[in-house]
Structures are given as C-alpha cells and as structure tokens.
Amino acid sequence: MSALLILVIAIVVLALGYVFYGSWLAKQWGVDPNRETPAHTSYDGKDFVPANPAVLMGHHFSSIAGAGPINGPIQAAVFGWVPVFLWCVLGGIFFGAMHDFGALFASIRHNGGSIGEIMKDSMGVKAQRLFIIFALAVLILVIASFTAVVAGTFASVDPSAATYTANGATAMTSILFIVIAAIFGFFVYRKNAKIGPATIVGIIGIVAIVFLGQVVGLHASRTFWVLFIAVYVTVASLLPVWILLQPRDYLSSFLLYGMMIIAIVAIIGGSFTGAATVEAPAFYGWKNPAGQPLFPFLFITVACGACSGFHSLISSGTSSKQINNEKDAQIIGYGSMIVESALGVISLIAIGVVWSQSSAGGGDKFLLSAPPTIFAGGIATMFASFAGEKTYATIYNLFTLAVSVFALTSLDSATRLCRYLFGELLTPEGKTRDDLTGAAKFFATPIVSTLVMVIIGCGMGFMGLSQIWSVFGAANQLLASIAMLFMLCATITALCFTIINGFKTIAAGAQWGTYFQVIWSIVLVVLAVILAVTAFKTLADQGKKKKA
C-alpha cells in the first residue's frame, strides 16, 4: 500500500474535521472572544500567566503529545494498519479532539480549575476526591512510562552496542536543549525580546546543538538517567512556567513540526524510489498474533494518537491558566489533537515501511525493537532512499532526539499537575491551602508533594516499558471515559483481561512487575466503577429536576 496515499487521506479528513466539527463545537459551546480568561482574572506571575497563542500552542501540543502518538500506533500495528489508521483519524476527530477541546473550555469557564474542581460543581466533593486519587494514579503511570522511554533512549555504556553513538548524541542534545529553552524564556519574558527574532535564534540554536550532539555524546547507564530525570522533573515542575515550561515546550514544538515536515518529505520522496511502501498486513483479524482481541486492546494501545484522558489534565491543569483569549481555545484544544492524530498516522507508516526489520515483523530485535527506534528507522529509511545513505544516521539521531524531548515535556507537565492535584486533595471543602495544619500542610507543600510523586513514578520507571504501558494505556483511557461511555467500556474490559491474565501468570510463578500490573489494575477498576456510578446518579438526578 502506498504510504503517500495513506498520509494524504489522513490529512484531508483530519483537516475537514477541524474546519467543520471543531467550528461547530465552538459555536455550540459559546466560545466568547470578549470574555476575560483566568490568565487575566487570576494572574499570579507563576501559574496563571497569559501566553502568546503560538507559545501556548507549542506548550500544549508538546505536553499532550509526548511519546504517546509514536509508541501507541507502533505497538498497535500488530492488529494491522487499517484498524489503527481508522482509529487515529476518526477517533481523533470525534473522540480525542472533542475531548481535549471540551476539557480546556470547561476549565476556562471554571476559572482555570482542574477536572476535579469541575466535577465538584456538578457531582459533589466525594466525586472530586475520588477523581483526584484516580488522576494521581494515572499521572504516576505517565511519569513511570515516560521515564522508562527517556532513560532507555539516553542509556549508552557499551561502545560496541549499535545504539551507543545515537543514544549518547540524543542525551547530550536533550540536556543542551533545556539550557537553550531557559535562555529563551529569560530574554522573552524578562528582557522583552520580540518573539519572532527570538524564535529564529532559538531554532538556529536547536540546529547547532543537534550537530554538536553528534560530535560530543553524553554516555551513562540507564540507572543514572532515571535518577537524573527524577531530579530534573522535580526542579522543572517547581519553577514558574515562564522560566522553562513555556519556552521549552514552545521551542520543542518547532522540533516536532520540523520532524513532521521531514517525515512528510521522506514519504513523498520515498514514494518515487519505492521505499515508502507499507509492508505491514492490513488486517490480522479480530485477534492479533499474541491472541489479544481487537476490542478492547486496539483502543487502549493507541492512546495519544486517537484519544487520551491525560490530555484533559493538561488542558485543565496548565493550558487553561495560560490562554489569552477564548477564541484561541479551538486551535489549541481541538487543533493540537488533530495534528497529533496526523503524527500517529506517520508513526504507523514508519513501522509499516520497516515492518520486516522490526521486532513486530520478525526482524532484528536489537536494532529496531523499541517504538522510538522503529519510528526513527522508518523515516530515516525513506529519506535515505532518495537523499543518500549518509543521511540515514543524521535523520535517525534527530528523530530519537525529538521523541526524548517530547517525553521530557510530558514528564514536566505531569509532575506539575501532580503538585496541583495533591494539594487539592488535601484541602478540605471551604478551606484554602493557607488554612492547612499538621501533616496535611506538610504534604501539601509544593516541594514535598512533588517529591512524593516523583519518587513513586520514577521508581517505577526502573521497570521495562512493556510492564507499564498496558496498565498506563487503560488508566489513561479511563480518564477519557469521563466524556465517553465507549471508552469506559473499552478500558474496564482491558483491565479485566490484565487482571485475569495476571492471576494466571502469578499462579505459574511471576516477577514483581506482574503483581504491580494486577494490583494497579484492580485499584483503577474499583475507582472507575465508583466514579461511573456517581456520574450516572448525577445525570439521573439532573434529568428528574429538568422533568419537574
């Protein structure tokens, strides 16, 4: 199947979804450009800060994307490329983008409050508390998942390993990227540098550090990088948003945009050389080769590429506090998810092109086994087919860098959200955090609440990604079930499969990772069922009141 045809169909359909369905939602919800946003009414110079729409788009897109639209579609390709394609495109338009836009707009109209605060207004304090506990469990899994992704992408201690040079280059470039972002933020927000010239300088800086990383690598073990990530996200999540979060996410979005442009060029160029051909099977049947049924596992594995509950936490946690005008909500909330779905399709094309070389297709499990390496390898293969074999290493290294940068943005945002929600959980009804005393006051302190979440999340990051992702995917999609009954059914079904299979594995003798999967899955199912029952009771009560 032609990769170019797949991409063109996806872009056209997604664009039509934004123009027609996205605009229709904005009218139905009553987006008002003349209404002041929380960034102005609750300005504090730290979390509530009006942002340039382009800067906020960069932050929001980078934060919701992370490594999700790359990991998910690539892992789900074992179901066949057709069902993954359909879920990325149609799911992105009618599920994911609607969900993200709705969460962002609802938070704007609730003074930048979290989903928990919004639930408290409609469902009561009990539902709010349960949701916060549930959201914290999901965020811990986000931290664990992306810690595993980044540490695996950075780790390089054996010079004879095939990934030694690429991983060392990625690590060095990622560290320098953080430095550039901080400098950018200082000049834009404290020296009032114009955003246009500063952006040009920033992009030049990114290009320079990419090449520098090829020359001077940074090599360390996976354990070192897990500990480094723990320290980094702790510091980054406590800093005011203008110092690192806004500028880093803004600049990283250009890396992502550039990556997508290069990928599109690679697909177009590869179409003329015959390299851009999807080799993966179109459809395996209702079960993949591992025996997993299409429902619910397809809709759990492909999370961020089609629909992700984590996005609602970003929308209501950081983005709603920075949006300058309500008219920007559609492009930031709905538009970012549309672009992410396009990235999911590109990831699907990447594994389809190198299917025979990937672990999923029975190829070399060492070189192209992890989703980031499969993604980078697929795009680099198409690009090198017309630009020359010497370009393969550069494109491969650039794309593995991009994946790690996006994962770091999600880590920072997730940790910051943990701090917000942890304090919200410990604050009694009618009180503020200033009123807290004793243990509640201690644990609600930003540094303490942050450290608690980082220690748990990054500690779990020592496990392999495969042990975390299945539970993360289900937990993540359960958040989306707040808005969609379909996702509730899919995620609870998937968790039940995980629990049953986990008990079978435990009975046969299992490692501690299996116990983690079972225990976490049971906790999530119980919380989800309680929240669902509470939600249905609320809807029933509202219906009775309307009828009366």
Side-chain angles (χ1 to χ4, degrees), residues 100 107 109 138 187 191 235 296 327 388 441 451 496 506:
D100 294 10
S107 180
R109 289 296 177 90
V138 173
F187 279 99
K191 296 299 181 180
V235 175
K327 66 181 175 59
K441 182 177 182 179
L451 282 173
C496 288
I506 290 171

Side-chain angles (χ1 to χ4, degrees), residues 124-274:
V125 176
K126 179 183 175 182
Q128 177 204 22
R129 294 282 190 259
L130 286 170
F131 173 79
I132 292 174
I133 295 171
F134 182 82
L136 286 171
V138 173
L139 288 171
I140 288 172
L141 291 172
V142 170
I143 295 172
S145 298
F146 290 142
T147 295
V149 169
V150 176
T153 307
F154 285 2
S156 58
V157 291
D158 182 5
S160 65
T163 57
Y164 180 79
T165 301
N167 286 15
T170 300
M172 173 59 78
T173 308
S174 298
I175 300 303
L176 293 175
F177 189 92
I178 295 170
V179 176
I180 286 181
I183 295 172
F184 178 90
F186 173 76
F187 279 99
V188 170
Y189 289 99
R190 285 298 176 265
K191 296 299 181 180
N192 297 318
K194 292 186 177 179
I195 191 72
T199 300
I200 294 173
V201 174
I203 293 174
I204 293 173
I206 292 173
V207 174
I209 63 173
V210 168
F211 284 101
L212 180 60
Q214 310 301 310
V215 179
V216 184
L218 187 58
H219 303 285
S221 67
R222 190 177 187 278
T223 299
F224 170 85
W225 286 118
V226 170
L227 296 174
F228 173 85
I229 291 166
V231 174
Y232 165 74
V233 297
T234 299
V235 175
S237 63
L238 291 169
L239 292 173
V241 292
W242 64 267
I243 293 179
L244 187 59
L245 185 139
Q246 283 185 352
R248 186 210 52 214
D249 291 0
Y250 173 63
L251 289 176
S252 68
S253 69
F254 284 96
L255 185 61
L256 191 145
Y257 300 144
M259 180 185 73
M260 292 184 69
I261 291 171
I262 292 173
I264 292 172
V265 170
I267 293 170
I268 294 173
S271 297
F272 291 98
T273 63

Side-chain angles (χ1 to χ4, degrees), residues 97-114:
M98 181 274 289
H99 166 268
D100 294 10
F101 186 15
L104 175 64
F105 188 65
S107 180
I108 291 171
R109 289 296 177 90
H110 283 77
N111 196 37
S114 68

Side-chain angles (χ1 to χ4, degrees), residues 21-27 29 31 60 95-108 311 315 326-335 337:
Y21 190 56
S23 299
W24 180 80
L25 288 174
K27 291 179 181 178
W29 293 340
V31 172
H60 185 80
F95 288 77
M98 181 274 289
H99 166 268
D100 294 10
F101 186 15
L104 175 64
F105 188 65
S107 180
I108 291 171
H311 296 185
S315 296
E326 279 195 5
K327 66 181 175 59
D328 302 326
Q330 182 182 345
I331 182 65
I332 292 168
Y334 196 94
M337 183 61 226

Side-chain angles (χ1 to χ4, degrees), residues 350-375:
I351 188 173
V353 168
V354 293
W355 181 255
S356 60
Q357 304 170 46
S358 70
S359 56
D364 192 321
K365 297 180 184 297
F366 183 71
L367 290 179
L368 295 177
S369 57
T373 61
I374 292 173
F375 178 64

Side-chain angles (χ1 to χ4, degrees), residues 321-446:
K321 296 176 176 64
Q322 301 173 58
I323 197 161
N324 186 53
N325 191 297
E326 279 195 5
K327 66 181 175 59
D328 302 326
Q330 182 182 345
I331 182 65
I332 292 168
Y334 196 94
S336 292
M337 183 61 226
I338 290 296
V339 178
E340 186 171 348
S341 292
L343 177 57
V345 172
I346 291 174
S347 301
L348 177 64
I349 289 172
I351 188 173
V353 168
V354 293
W355 181 255
S356 60
Q357 304 170 46
S358 70
S359 56
D364 192 321
K365 297 180 184 297
F366 183 71
L367 290 179
L368 295 177
S369 57
T373 61
I374 292 173
F375 178 64
I379 303 302
T381 297
M382 290 184 285
F383 197 90
S385 71
F386 63 88
E389 285 301 318
K390 291 183 178 180
T391 63
Y392 182 95
T394 301
I395 298 299
Y396 181 90
N397 292 345
L398 177 63
F399 275 61
T400 53
L401 162 69
V403 174
S404 69
V405 169
F406 306 143
L408 280 173
T409 63
S410 293
L411 275 167
D412 178 358
S413 297
T415 309
R416 187 178 292 267
L417 291 171
C418 281
R419 170 164 61 86
Y420 295 157
L421 291 171
F422 207 81
E424 189 177 316
L425 177 65
L426 295 174
T427 304
E429 174 70 6
K431 302 285 186 179
T432 66
R433 296 187 192 186
D434 295 333
D435 300 323
L436 296 178
T437 59
K441 182 177 182 179
F442 174 76
F443 283 106
T445 304

